[in-house]
Amino acid sequence: MRKIYIFDTTLRDGEQSPGVNLNTQEKVEIALQLEKLGVDRIEAGFPAASPGDLAAVNAVARAVKRATIIGLSRSREQDIDAVREALQGAEDPCIHLFLATSPIHRKHKLRMEKEQVLETAEKAIRYAKRYFDKIEFSPEDAGRTEIDFLCEVTAMAIRAGATVVNIPDTVGYLTPVEFGGIFKTLKSEVPGIEKIQLSAHCHDDLGMATANALAAVLNGADQIEGTINGIGERAGNTSLEEVVMALETRAEYFGAKTSLKLTEIAKTSRLVSKLTGMVVPGNKAIVGANAFAHESGIHQDGMLKEKTTYEIISPETIGLRESKLVLGKHSGRHAFREKLIDLGYELDEESVNAAFAKFKDLADKKKNVSDEDIRAMLEEKLVDTPEVFSLETIHVVYGNRSVPSATVTIRTPDGGSKEQSAEGNGSVDAIYNAIDMATGETVELEDYSIKSVSQGKDALGEVHVVLKQNDVSAQGRGLSTDILEASARAYTDALNRLIEKRKSPGRRDKLSLI
Ligand code: KIV
Ligand code: ZN
């Protein structure tokens, strides 16, 4: 079986998703989980975008030990220098250079002729080669580039010292036959192609990113680029879990496999969804909540008789372990620990104790604590944002014929606490107005979403908000059996992150690639 290398760009292209804004700690947390998942390469960010991005890439580079860490760079010396600085301390550094090659980009964006594109890219690769053994080069918008010119660019990149040439379908325009055809042509026409790896980078604008990536594999691609849950610019990138599971499930057909630890897929998906605030649609292949649910009677009957009638992947393969133990308020520490083992968590003694205390609190409010509740509870505070403000109490008065009002008590940075009441056009609005008054912060609520973590009326609710103040935005999350309390917690969490971000002004808010 041919090995297909997996290049994860959740932290770079994925972070370009509208509304997504990860802080350094969150990036490190995701990178460490990606490493557990076994991805070969992690694109950690775009260091030249801002000092904050550079610092975040550096933190990832120092934390990750096994995977190759990659920094993105335009084809210019300042960007390359920024990647050099950001990748200091990386065990296995790599630079990813790009320059657009399609007629549309050449004419309107770069205002360059073909010759200038070739010269600029070659100069950049040769400059980078002084400092990096591993260089990936991407002819941006390769999908809409004349095939002869793409062959010329690829040959130049190989001569100049690239070790991987990546073919991006930047705007998600191609069909699988067309995209696969590019790889076939490059393989047969470009001198020296056997010396490098060919990579595929697809976007999902027409819903064909996974199919295009797999077509690339069938035509000789060595590496697939993508993101967890398929997040990314516009309609997103290739969904890595889809490609990996397609290769796994149809290994004979593709004659190729990845070396990912499949049982880490579900956990990685949940983590990325939680930290980016991008909810995974229920019907999403592989990681959606319904991906393994069988609703129709005929399917259920078939499943009971023989699972393979309707199941091509077992949920356990991606780490969705089912635990038979039902936990409630009378469950003891021993049962709780067994449950953690069943669900695949390896916690030290201190963490088990802390988790057990949280579980007891939850079990007081909920009759049965489900597996989803336990996962949500354990994964709630993965990243500790320094708490400037925290919610102590909350009281809400709502009636459909009266103006909603809320009173909150907020613990303030000086150790004291402040109580404030406010009205609003709804309960959540009233709570947020009261928190604004108590903290003295003026922010805009850019996004608010709520989802239920498990089933039933007493399910845990998870709220995700994005707040904006001047040019800085930050997201926050809150979890509670009460959605108003979860809303308040998400808001204070986002406020704390916003304040933290204000202290490091180098952090840009949105990546702009030109
Ligand atoms: O989609 C794209 O073209 C990119 C490049 C930077 C590789 O993300
Ligand atoms: Zn891209």
Side-chain angles (χ1 to χ4, degrees), residues 12-13 201 203 237:
R12 199 277 298 170
D13 223 336
H201 177 112
H203 281 266
N237 288 61

Side-chain angles (χ1 to χ4, degrees), residues 233-385:
E233 283 270 3
R234 309 181 309 278
N237 288 61
T238 303
S239 197
L240 283 180
E241 63 279 3
E242 290 178 15
V243 170
V244 170
M245 287 312 296
L247 292 179
E248 178 69 24
T249 313
R250 304 296 311 277
E252 295 302 321
Y253 177 74
F254 288 104
K257 259 189 164 190
T258 69
S259 55
L260 258 59
K261 189 168 175 206
L262 305 177
T263 48
E264 290 294 324
I265 289 179
K267 196 168 173 202
T268 315
S269 163
R270 281 198 306 271
L271 176 70
V272 169
S273 171
K274 188 173 294 287
L275 296 187
T276 57
M278 292 194 73
V279 177
V280 177
N283 64 339
K284 164 87 177 61
I286 314 296
V287 290
N290 300 340
F292 299 100
H294 301 271
E295 178 77 18
S296 98
I298 296 175
H299 287 208
Q300 288 174 348
D301 178 57
M303 282 289 291
L304 289 171
K305 288 177 175 146
E306 166 56 48
K307 278 194 175 182
T308 53
T309 49
Y310 288 102
E311 192 175 83
I312 58 163
I313 303 167
S314 76
E316 291 79 20
T317 314
I318 63 155
L320 283 175
R321 300 205 216 171
E322 270 297 320
S323 165
K324 301 276 175 275
L325 267 172
V326 178
L327 294 189
K329 82 180 200 187
H330 301 298
S331 306
R333 208 172 165 289
H334 181 69
F336 181 68
R337 180 191 271 285
E338 285 300 305
K339 174 68 108 185
L340 296 184
I341 295 168
D342 269 12
L343 295 178
Y345 290 97
E346 291 158 20
L347 300 187
D348 58 31
E349 209 49 32
E350 202 183 320
S351 311
V352 173
N353 289 342
F356 186 61
K358 272 173 133 185
F359 159 73
K360 279 289 181 192
D361 269 359
L362 183 59
D364 272 344
K365 296 181 187 148
K366 264 191 115 225
K367 191 165 171 291
N368 288 326
V369 179
S370 69
D371 292 356
E372 288 82 9
D373 292 328
I374 295 196
R375 286 193 186 105
M377 191 188 81
L378 287 172
E379 293 166 12
E380 184 193 5
K381 257 231 168 302
L382 289 156
V383 173
D384 286 327
T385 319

Side-chain angles (χ1 to χ4, degrees), residues 21 67 73 126 134 150 202-203 235 286 298 339 363 371 394 428 458 467 471:
N21 221 303
S73 165
R126 292 200 186 276
K134 293 190 176 171
L150 192 59
C202 303
H203 281 266
I286 314 296
I298 296 175
K339 174 68 108 185
D371 292 356
I394 174 167
V428 173
D458 60 356
L467 299 184
D471 279 343

Side-chain angles (χ1 to χ4, degrees), residues 12-13 72 96 98 138 140-141 166 168 170 201 203 513:
R12 199 277 298 170
D13 223 336
L72 181 69
H96 178 187
F98 73 98
S138 289
E140 192 192 3
D141 204 15
N166 177 44
T170 303
H201 177 112
H203 281 266
L513 295 175

Side-chain angles (χ1 to χ4, degrees), residues 91-142:
E91 293 283 329
D92 189 18
C94 171
I95 187 165
H96 178 187
L97 290 164
F98 73 98
L99 186 66
T101 51
S102 67
I104 299 177
H105 281 236
R106 292 196 312 261
K107 180 168 175 206
H108 300 289
K109 190 177 81 171
L110 300 176
R111 300 204 171 88
M112 283 185 188
E113 296 300 326
K114 283 181 180 171
E115 273 316 306
Q116 285 171 283
V117 169
L118 282 166
E119 262 168 46
T120 311
E122 179 164 1
K123 214 171 130 219
I125 299 172
R126 292 200 186 276
Y127 179 72
K129 200 67 191 172
R130 294 197 220 156
Y131 310 103
F132 292 93
D133 290 335
K134 293 190 176 171
I135 300 179
E136 170 166 320
F137 177 74
S138 289
E140 192 192 3
D141 204 15

Side-chain angles (χ1 to χ4, degrees), residues 80 92 99 132 148 152 194 199 217 227-228 231 261 315 383 389 400 434 469 476 496 511:
I80 298 170
D92 189 18
L99 186 66
F132 292 93
D148 291 351
E152 214 180 317
E194 66 292 342
S199 165
V217 169
T227 58
I228 299 298
I231 65 169
K261 189 168 175 206
V383 173
F389 297 110
N400 62 348
Q469 192 175 54
N496 289 334
L511 193 67

